[in-house]
Amino acid sequence: MTDDVAAVQRLRDLDDEAFGLRYGADRFTVSVLANRLQYVVEHMCSGLLTNAFSLILRDWYDFAATVSGPPGEGYPMSSVSNSLAVFFGTMADGLRNTVEEFGPDELAPGDLLICNDPYRTGTHVNDVLFIRPVFHEGRLAAFVSLRAHQLDMGGVVPAGFSATKRDVYETGLVLAPQLLYRNDKPVRSTFNLIFDNARFGALLLPDIKTIHQNLKLGERLITESIERYGLPAFLGAIRYRCDVSAESMADALGTVPDGVYEGEEHIDCDGADDSVEYRVQVRISKVGRDIEIDLSGTSPQARTSINASVLDTKTAVGMALKLLLDPSTPFTSGTYRPVDIVLPPGTVASAVPPDGAVFLFWEGSGPVLLAIFRALASALGERAVAGDFGSLSIHNANGMLPNGMPWVTTAQCGGEHGPWGATRHGDADNYSVPYLANNLDPATEAIESDVPVVVLRKEYTADTAGAGTHRGGAAVLKDTLWLAPAEHWSSPLHTKRSSGFGVHGGRSGAAGAVWLFGKDACDVGGEGRLLGTEDAVYANAVPVAGVLDPETHVRDLEHGRYFYFASTPHWRTEPGAIFRYLTNGGGGWGDPRERDPEAVRRDVRDGYVTIEGAAHHYGVVVTGDPETDPEGVRIDADATARLRSVEGNVR
Amino acid sequence: MAEISGAIDSPAPAVHREQVEGACPRCGAHELRAYPVLSEGGWFQAVKCDRCLMSVRRTPWALLGPVQLTSTGLELE
Ligand SMILES: [Zn+2]
């Protein structure tokens, strides 16, 4: 291995002549063009973000943009937007698969090519991949693409987000590679196909037109660059960016001890029944600057739409390695050069049609990322990263206003935002999207203006964060009060075990749950108070999901029983109903007894840890009352020293 | 893909690694195996050394690798 490492020709060691031969221009020009490629994707995204009507584009940033090279270069994807990883991770392969199936020779200037098939392009049918070929002197020079979530794509559930759809026929309309525009004129048959099948067409149409315009913007910016610097320099810049990623990932892999590492992660069950817990298994072989990740042993594909496709799993592998080992170099298709994925078809992480329904794809691919985090934790030692909140626990609801206007909410009112795990660098964030995503948090005002709902609580819950020298993120509790009759699909898929595992001696975060309260639980308007968070409130709640005490419905991971999320496949509620989502807690990093007592005191003051939790999980004795006098809480140093000195006192 | 649908009670799928004659040019091990991999550029049929992970051969495979579409096999003419 040592010899191989020495033999690697490093990019920074190329002399000017060798660099120019390889990349078609001098180092300075190629660097400028490489940054220009990044500018192009960000510019396309800004244009869509500021003009979108659909809530999921406007408020969630549920889209991504990329630039890829031409077929002759192997479709290298050089640049991805600073947005959704689950999208841009699939786009290099999705674009190649789409263009190759359609036929690159069939493309012409002014075309807009689309495909949304999860088995060809990853993610789910709502995420249409829009591809614009860029020509130079009559030949294909590049592609700009946008993958953007369409609020609806047909299928049995309005807006689509459900774990209960059984096959490809229920998940929605599949669009094989086809033209949406030719010569910048709409292809009516394609528009008809979409708009005769999809709901909320009035929102979709202007957004699709905006996507078309922003791809034209990207095409224009790239054409300008090619005309100014020449095609060899432009293609060289694309290759250079991919080579930098490849070298950087290989360097990072070189820092991991050689060995074979195994990890697994679970999904509670599918939407058919709760008889099967699904397992994602990874076996990682790492030698020198190469790595192989084998998912053999992963459960067969689920019977409903919680599966991921092959390209979603590829994304999860790439993101896991980037986050753990190589976070500071841009992600490109070159990231995978030292990475081989061994993936049997027909698993929950590689579903195949027509029965392997894919919709909540991140619930299948997120466990791949967490299993890799677990597998490499011991090898990485202090570089290990703890687990996050695991499941998006996505909430999808719809109804009709008294004036006949249909409304829909998606990914706004469930457990979509929550905590990350701690690292060697510090405590974890408490409120983000899962590791595999990268989005905005929709503003409460925007939610309440579009949907007949009031967001009552969005807050952290004490003693849910995994303890550690660095504390995991605290679980997020969200209450929503529904003002109109509604039907809901609720999909928490990771409550049987903690997803927020601790690392390097850190402890795991708590497991979350979801409850539904009737209008008698709390008269918010009349009494002017919120539904409480004390244990007593849960006895009369309907458990939606979680491991709970059968009588009190309070969380009890050790002795409780699992309540199945799809026992009622979709919930119908009357005005006054309240959904409560509690995410999982993030994992801690390092021994909790090593945590600075002052940091524990601050956590008590701020409500992340209770006084009891401080003693129990950290061995720190805090006095005072954080509710009535938060600045008055103090550390009892002597009592802390005594408590921490006895092995087994801190759990 | 009838063998996959509703196969929840069947064993977890696994990728078979076919033994291949010969020695690894990098580490000399007689542990070459043939199996498909997904990497930069898509799917490949690879022959790799089980000990040092060197790829002795890599041939581009079908665009979608082992995945068969619902419409796979559709004959129109
Ligand atoms: Zn070898």
Side-chain angles (χ1 to χ4, degrees), chain B residues 24 27 49 52:
Chain B
C24 170
C27 75
C49 172
C52 79

Side-chain angles (χ1 to χ4, degrees), chain A residues 166 267-278 303-304 493 495-496 544-546 561-567, chain B residues 8:
Chain A
R166 288 176 185 267
I267 307 165
D268 285 350
C269 47
D270 63 22
D273 59 49
D274 63 351
S275 64
V276 185
E277 186 179 31
Y278 290 87
R303 300 160 295 178
T304 64
L493 287 164
T495 64
K496 286 183 179 174
V544 175
R561 115 171 140 76
Y562 173 67
F563 285 84
Y564 172 46
F565 79 93
S567 58
Chain B
I8 196 63

Side-chain angles (χ1 to χ4, degrees), chain A residues 60-64 66 77 80-81 83-92 121-124 127 147 149 161 308-319 331 336 359-367 369 392 433-439:
Chain A
W60 248 94
Y61 211 136
D62 201 0
F63 60 94
T66 62
M77 183 182 73
V80 305
S81 52
S83 61
L84 194 49
V86 290
F87 279 22
F88 65 64
T90 64
M91 285 167 72
T121 64
T123 77
H124 55 203
D127 300 333
R147 167 159 238 161
H149 185 101
F161 288 105
S309 72
V310 159
L311 295 183
D312 303 317
T313 289
K314 182 177 182 182
T315 301
V317 169
M319 285 305 132
F331 176 90
Y336 291 94
F359 205 94
L360 307 187
F361 59 89
W362 62 88
E363 302 289 350
S365 64
L369 177 140
L392 213 57
V433 279
Y435 286 143
L436 264 178
N438 183 23
N439 308 76

Side-chain angles (χ1 to χ4, degrees), chain A residues 4 93 96-97 100-101 117 119-120 168-169 242 276 278 285-287 290-292 294-303 310-311 314 333-334 336-337 339-347 351-355, chain B residues 1-17 26-27 35-44 46 48-55 58 61-72:
Chain A
D4 283 340
D93 298 83
R96 184 196 60 243
N97 293 346
E100 284 289 305
E101 183 176 338
D117 180 4
Y119 312 102
R120 289 168 164 107
V168 73
Y169 314 111
C242 294
V276 185
Y278 290 87
S285 307
K286 154 57 211 14
V287 183
D290 292 313
I291 196 165
E292 186 176 280
D294 191 337
L295 282 97
S296 295
T298 295
S299 296
Q301 64 192 21
R303 300 160 295 178
V310 159
L311 295 183
K314 182 177 182 182
S333 54
Y336 291 94
R337 200 168 301 165
V339 182
D340 275 343
I341 303 164
V342 181
L343 182 56
T347 74
V352 294
D355 297 306
Chain B
M1 303 306 278
E3 72 276 16
I4 284 167
S5 61
I8 196 63
D9 299 323
S10 60
V15 172
H16 175 65
R17 298 174 182 230
R26 180 156 69 185
C27 75
Y35 51 98
V37 298
L38 178 61
S39 183
E40 181 189 22
W43 285 95
F44 298 85
K48 294 181 66 175
C49 172
D50 215 33
R51 185 192 289 177
C52 79
L53 300 182
M54 185 187 186
S55 281
R58 284 170 91 86
W61 194 21
L63 268 187
L64 306 181
V67 176
Q68 305 270 307
L69 298 175
T70 309
S71 60
T72 294

